């Protein structure tokens, strides 16, 4: 239960910083990195069409974002039909809404990544408080924020899975002693 509280703290921290930095207000074209590529390929997956990044390491992010969009669509949290997005007369508004959801998805992914770093540091250091502060310092470091936070990045899930691999290795070595 402590891990859930810390995870929700990380989500709160990510969203607070995002609101402070006006990430949700920025136009989708202001930070043109992988955002539009992830959105377009996720829509291609949802519509059973050919996506351009099927052999890219970021396919995991694209696939998870398409599942996220499917859940949002099922809950009617998207104001348009994902299948007929190209037929819409409000295409730019729809893209803006999808980029908004991609940024929310990215913040949740960053919170998950921070949680895996915390668990990894706890396994290595055996000190929860020190691990928490090291994870916070990682979050507030310039490189982490500038690279992973302001634009939707595919590397977050790659790091997340590497961290999970190490956590499971530590867990296996601990439980099998």
């Amino acid at each position: 239960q402590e891990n859930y509280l810390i995870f929700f703290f990380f989500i709160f921290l990510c969203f607070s910083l995002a609101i402070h930095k006006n990430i949700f207000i920025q136009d989708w074209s202001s930070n043109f990195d992988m955002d539009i590529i992830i959105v377009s390929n996720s829509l291609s997956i949802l519509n059973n069409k050919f996506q351009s990044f099927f052999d890219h390491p970021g396919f995991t992010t694209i696939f998870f974002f398409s599942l996220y969009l499917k859940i949002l669509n099922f809950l009617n949290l998207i104001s348009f039909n994902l299948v007929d997005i190209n037929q819409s007369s409000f295409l730019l508004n729809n893209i803006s809404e999808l980029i908004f959801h991609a940024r929310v998805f990215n913040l949740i992914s960053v919170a998950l990544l921070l949680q895996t770093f915390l668990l990894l540091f706890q396994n290595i250091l055996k000190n929860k408080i020190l691990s928490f502060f090291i994870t916070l310092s990682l979050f507030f470091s310039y490189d982490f924020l500038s690279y992973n936070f302001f634009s939707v990045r595919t590397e977050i899930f790659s790091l997340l899975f590497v961290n999970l691999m190490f956590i499971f290795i530590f867990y296996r070595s601990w439980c099998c002693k």
Side-chain angles (χ1 to χ4, degrees):
Q1 188 159 18
E2 178 182 297
N3 285 333
Y4 291 121
L5 289 174
I6 292 172
F7 175 67
F8 286 116
F9 172 75
F10 287 147
I11 288 179
F12 173 76
L13 189 67
C14 289
F15 278 88
S16 297
L17 188 62
I19 290 169
H20 176 71
K21 295 290 185 181
N22 295 325
I23 288 177
F24 298 120
I25 298 172
Q26 292 176 353
D27 187 52
W28 66 271
S29 61
S30 66
N31 193 1
F32 194 79
D33 190 25
M34 288 290 290
D35 300 16
I36 197 72
I37 294 169
I38 290 173
V39 166
S40 67
N41 280 283
S42 296
L43 289 173
S44 295
I45 290 173
L46 286 174
N47 294 323
N48 294 324
K49 301 213 168 139
F50 180 77
Q51 67 270 7
S52 57
F53 278 90
F54 63 91
D55 61 345
H56 188 272
F59 178 76
T60 308
T61 304
I62 294 166
F63 178 72
F64 284 144
F65 182 62
S66 67
L67 292 177
Y68 176 80
L69 287 176
K70 199 168 203 156
I71 291 168
L72 291 178
N73 195 37
F74 176 76
L75 297 173
N76 290 326
L77 296 175
I78 297 178
S79 64
F80 57 91
N81 188 355
L82 288 173
V83 176
D84 300 325
I85 188 171
N86 293 333
Q87 310 303 327
S88 172
S89 59
F90 303 105
L91 182 62
L92 289 178
N93 291 340
N94 295 347
I95 290 173
S96 295
E97 184 176 346
L98 288 171
I99 295 294
F100 171 83
H101 287 298
R103 290 175 180 166
V104 170
F105 176 78
N106 192 59
L107 293 175
I108 295 169
S109 303
V110 167
L112 277 171
L113 179 64
L114 289 171
Q115 185 71 26
T116 61
F117 272 117
L118 176 70
L119 293 173
L120 187 62
F121 292 146
Q122 284 177 354
N123 278 314
I124 294 170
L125 300 173
K126 309 291 188 226
N127 185 331
K128 290 183 178 185
I129 294 173
L130 182 61
S131 300
F132 179 73
F133 284 118
I134 290 173
T135 305
L136 279 182
S137 67
L138 174 69
F139 175 72
F140 285 114
S141 69
Y142 176 76
D143 289 332
F144 186 85
L145 285 178
S146 65
Y147 191 69
N148 293 318
F149 199 74
F150 294 104
S151 59
V152 179
R153 301 296 307 170
T154 58
E155 291 83 358
I156 292 174
F157 274 97
S158 299
L159 273 171
L160 189 124
F161 285 127
V162 168
N163 285 354
L164 285 175
M165 178 193 68
F166 283 120
I167 289 167
F168 288 128
I169 288 171
F170 282 125
Y171 176 75
R172 181 142 172 98
S173 67
W174 174 76
C175 86
C176 298
K177 282 186 180 180

